[in-house]
Amino acid sequence: MGLLTLGSPLSWSETKKYAEHIRKHGILQFIHLYNKLKDRKNDYLKWGDEVEYTLVHLDDEKKEARLLLRGHEILTELRRKEDESAENLVTLWRPEFAAYMVEGTPGRPYGGLISHFNMVEANMRARKEEVKALLGPNEHILCITAFPRIGCPLFTHPEALPDPHNSASRSLFYPDEAIYQGHPRFKTLARNIRERRGEKVAMNLPIFRDSKTPKPFVEDFSSLGDDGEAARASLPDHVYLDAMGFGMGCCCLQMTFQAQDITEARYLYDQLTPLTPIVLAMSAATPVFRGYLTDVDCRWSVISGSVDDRTREERGLEPLKNDRFVINKSRYDTIDSYLSECSAPFNDIPLVYDEELLQMLLDAGIDETLGRHMAHLFIRDPVVLYGEKVDIDDEEDSDHFENIQSTNWQNMRFKPPPPNSSIGWRIEFRPTEIQLTEFENAAFVVFVVLLTRVIATFKLNFLMPISQVDANLRTAQNRDAVLRERFHFRQDLISCDSPLQAQECCGGRPCEQEGAKVALMSIDEIVNGKVSLPSRPARPRQAGEFAGLIPLINSYLGTIEADVDTHCSIRQYLKFISLRASGKLRTTARWIRDFVTQHPLYQQDSVVSSAINYDLVKLMVALSEGDEHIPNFSYSARTKTVDSLPPSVLADNPRLKDDSVLQ
Amino acid sequence: MEFPQPVIPKCVSITIHSGNILHGNILTQNPRITPTEELKEAIAQTVQAWLCHVDQKTVEEATDVVCENKPCIEIYSDEDRTDLKLTVKLFLTSFDSKTFQNAVDSVFQHLNPGRIDRLLVAFPSPKDEEISLTHAMPVWKEVELLVNDERIISPGVCDFKSELFQQLFEAAEVKPKANQINLASCCVIPPELSEFANQNSILLLTHNDPAGNELLPSEQLQQVLSRNMHVWDGESWSLQWVARYTYMLEGRGIVRSKGFLLAAERPLRFGD
């Protein structure tokens, strides 16, 4: 959601004037935070998830599905309790970019007991029920990454027309009314990104070629008010998108964990990075944009382009004159470097960073790896700034740091503690596409968070050259990647002895890149493992075999004491993930494709018409309520999820009774 | 390693301590490994490590041998120990309370843990009959003493059917706090057991161990020892008990260490 300070946002030209000031003070604020909090230790694991919801309106008479622009209204109601400072809230709510989105999190973090994993699904369900109580007839809440007809004519309810001449996005398709109205941040971002870039954002998604898809596929935008920009920016055989709303109006699922200390935070940040493409491929849910089937299954490249504020100079299209750097990526993309000093040999992407800022960080005693990470994030301009908040106390406030930090959107985020709180060093896992049901979303959350426990217990090492993670993330978005693609993945997961030891790697010797054998594997092999012979236990690993993420998790689960209900739920979550990885259950993206192409009204022309969309969205609502079951897609789950810890677990852990976590 | 003659020819009593097996990559090399194979692999690694630094002359004469993987044995400071939860699952091969006492003494001697946070007692399956309260009580009486002494904090049992568990709960002075049952049935707990557990705040936990709690049949122990030392070093051993322990950072869900301690006996050989 990003930093939501109160106040009046400045225009782009005014914001730009303060860029240096914000950058410099942002770094000073980080230095201050770092020095004050670098030794902070938190004994207990705390973690949480964020679910972004989409509000839709279904007109059963006209057979139309539209995005419901009631986000601000609903949110005001939802936050009434928070505003009244109620304690021990079960859920918390935040706005997101679009007027049809709301974001919900658990009221307090989950804790470090294995039994906490059994609470995720119930809490997610509680969130959905809370919103449902505020919806009228014909209004529904859905967990979908992208409404298939965003940007098509009259895709919102109430209706709104795009205003290409005056709106914040200047979009041919996306009206300002679809942007969240309750806070100026989002419209300001859209406008400032466009003004900084010097032109509209432009995303071109390859269209899915079907038997009657026009060859070439070219759209005429003049009737929409195009002044020629869209004609130039759009590519033939691609679906053209021209607004921040197409990207940031997508929904996803995120997880945040608090590490024991900064060292563990940096270690887990690194270890989870190679897993981001794997999870993206398994959760793929976005095969349709602006009413067309594309050849891509994920939202990632669209969001990446939707906030790409790089000028033509920065994109290398013109020689550098006004701008300082050629920058390879949008500010929304994959990370460019690992964070632990131990991981430095795997940082094989040249980093663009601000020398002066790096020097400030080094002078303050921050190590080079972390310094470069920050100096790289801080090459960006602030894209939203509030007049009241330009001059702040660097020792009390971290707004300028958060400003740049929160407008760098990557697959992982390293989050220092906010000043004046007891919160520790955290990392955020950000690639996961949102799934239709609470069960599926809980499964992905539990899978990832469990993996962090497994990694820390067995001291696993997933590191490979970061350029290969980039390659994997591009591959993960391809149509049916989970079935058809192969991914670079480290073979020997146990080569590093104790990477958690500060400053020591691999029992004294540095982690050599030569030690990392990387091979191409399918998602099935990575997640479910690869054995050359049917299991003969206790046999040492043969060449070409791979343990598999789920077998490793099961090995961990066999070692700890899970109560029966938690274990029952986790088993089902892992079974579901396993079936997605092997392709026995279709991804949401594949199911959507099949639904569209098999629909009686589909014309084999890649078009998702309003009528098809209505049937699809209606079925999605039924699926999310558990009222429908689709073969090879739905997983019949009967988990034992609960919204509070059973008395036996509480009685067993008197020391962990802690109101700061959900119980 | 080849052994021209037996390493422990006079040994009639052996204690094997694996230390922390998380270092040995047993679980990560082959995550599908069964609990029995995991134990056998741990024993193999322990013996191999022990043979590297043991004094052959001394051990040739010894009747009582402690075979341990010293570098893997971890002792925790008081500060560290407060955050760690020690769980011990004790696989008994008899209902004899003296053997149980020896096992617990051995755990305290080799792990020096101060206390056992959770003890799970896995009784053997008696031949030709169902296990009953009469079988379990002698050992349970010892458990009660240990709890009253604060050497055990939370005691539990394994694979007790609902009726037996209730009987124990009613008869015992120190009540069992947990019942560990096989994973395979974690989604289908018998309702009587489930209800009783709810009403009395009993933890129902899971395990993946073989039915009947025979984690290591004596023949398989003999095989592992024979394979890793001289063939006669494995002869005639009769397993007394196995303790599988884990130290867990419970507030963070991280296992710090996992290991095995076991004791076996055999009759004197050749009378020399």
Side-chain angles (χ1 to χ4, degrees), chain B residues 153-263:
Chain B
I153 309 298
S154 175
V157 292
C158 304
D159 301 295
F160 270 30
K161 294 215 176 80
S162 175
E163 202 189 314
L164 179 61
F165 189 87
Q166 287 188 43
Q167 285 174 359
L168 176 64
F169 193 88
E170 264 133 47
E173 277 174 33
V174 175
K175 312 287 180 192
K177 294 250 181 60
N179 189 7
Q180 200 193 48
I181 62 188
N182 196 290
L183 273 187
S185 42
C186 66
C187 287
V188 281
I189 311 295
E192 324 84 62
L193 183 57
S194 181
E195 242 183 77
F196 187 81
N198 270 336
Q199 281 161 10
N200 296 285
S201 287
I202 310 285
L203 264 178
L204 293 179
L205 302 173
T206 54
H207 72 78
N208 196 23
D209 296 315
N213 288 323
E214 202 186 9
L215 186 62
L216 185 65
S218 292
E219 307 80 62
Q220 295 193 36
L221 170 63
Q222 293 164 14
Q223 264 169 32
V224 179
L225 294 177
S226 295
R227 274 201 211 115
N228 287 281
M229 292 190 279
H230 186 273
V231 70
W232 291 345
D233 289 317
E235 275 191 357
S236 311
W237 288 107
S238 164
L239 182 72
Q240 300 298 297
W241 50 265
V242 179
R244 185 175 61 207
Y245 66 89
T246 55
Y247 274 104
M248 186 150 153
L249 278 163
E250 199 157 27
R252 290 172 49 218
I254 295 175
V255 183
R256 226 6 221 289
S257 69
K258 176 178 184 179
F260 296 95
L261 193 58
L262 66 84

Side-chain angles (χ1 to χ4, degrees), chain A residues 42-45 111-114 260 264 453 456-458 460 494 500 528-531 535-541 546-548 551-552 554-565 567-569 571-572 638 640 647-649 651-653 655-656, chain B residues 22-23 25 27-34 37-38 41 81-85 87-88 115 118 120 154 177 179-189 197-198 201-208 244 246 248-258:
Chain A
N42 291 85
D43 294 331
Y44 304 134
L45 172 68
L113 300 177
I114 187 76
Q260 182 198 22
E264 192 190 59
R453 308 299 89 202
T457 291
F458 294 133
L460 299 177
I494 331 137
L500 280 181
N528 293 316
K530 194 163 75 147
V531 283
S535 30
R536 260 182 50 216
R539 180 174 50 92
R541 192 168 57 89
F546 186 76
L552 284 168
N554 281 328
S555 184
Y556 164 84
L557 289 172
T559 305
I560 65 173
E561 305 170 322
D563 62 279
V564 293
D565 286 351
H567 206 117
C568 175
S569 301
R571 268 176 82 143
Q572 293 180 70
R638 233 168 289 268
K640 303 284 175 83
S648 54
V649 172
D652 193 48
N653 296 280
R655 279 191 318 127
L656 294 180
Chain B
L22 290 181
H23 293 175
N25 299 332
L27 283 168
T28 39
Q29 294 271 32
N30 184 0
R32 290 193 181 84
I33 199 170
T34 64
E37 293 298 327
E38 177 192 47
E41 186 61 29
R81 183 67 183 89
T82 18
D83 294 329
L84 291 170
K85 182 164 181 167
T87 300
V88 177
R115 65 183 187 277
R118 172 154 29 247
L120 294 167
S154 175
K177 294 250 181 60
N179 189 7
Q180 200 193 48
I181 62 188
N182 196 290
L183 273 187
S185 42
C186 66
C187 287
V188 281
I189 311 295
N198 270 336
S201 287
I202 310 285
L203 264 178
L204 293 179
L205 302 173
T206 54
H207 72 78
N208 196 23
R244 185 175 61 207
T246 55
M248 186 150 153
L249 278 163
E250 199 157 27
R252 290 172 49 218
I254 295 175
V255 183
R256 226 6 221 289
S257 69
K258 176 178 184 179

Side-chain angles (χ1 to χ4, degrees), chain B residues 67 74 77 117 132 135 138 152 168 227 233 255:
Chain B
C67 168
E74 297 175 5
S77 67
D117 296 289
S132 74
H135 289 115
I152 297 177
L168 176 64
R227 274 201 211 115
D233 289 317
V255 183

Side-chain angles (χ1 to χ4, degrees), chain B residues 41-58:
Chain B
E41 186 61 29
I43 295 172
Q45 284 186 9
T46 305
V47 170
Q48 287 159 21
W50 176 72
L51 286 170
C52 286
H53 59 76
V54 80
D55 175 41
Q56 301 266 356
K57 282 256 147 39
T58 322

Side-chain angles (χ1 to χ4, degrees), chain A residues 40 135 203 240 245 431 460 537:
Chain A
R40 169 165 286 172
L135 296 177
M203 293 79 80
Y240 166 70
L460 299 177

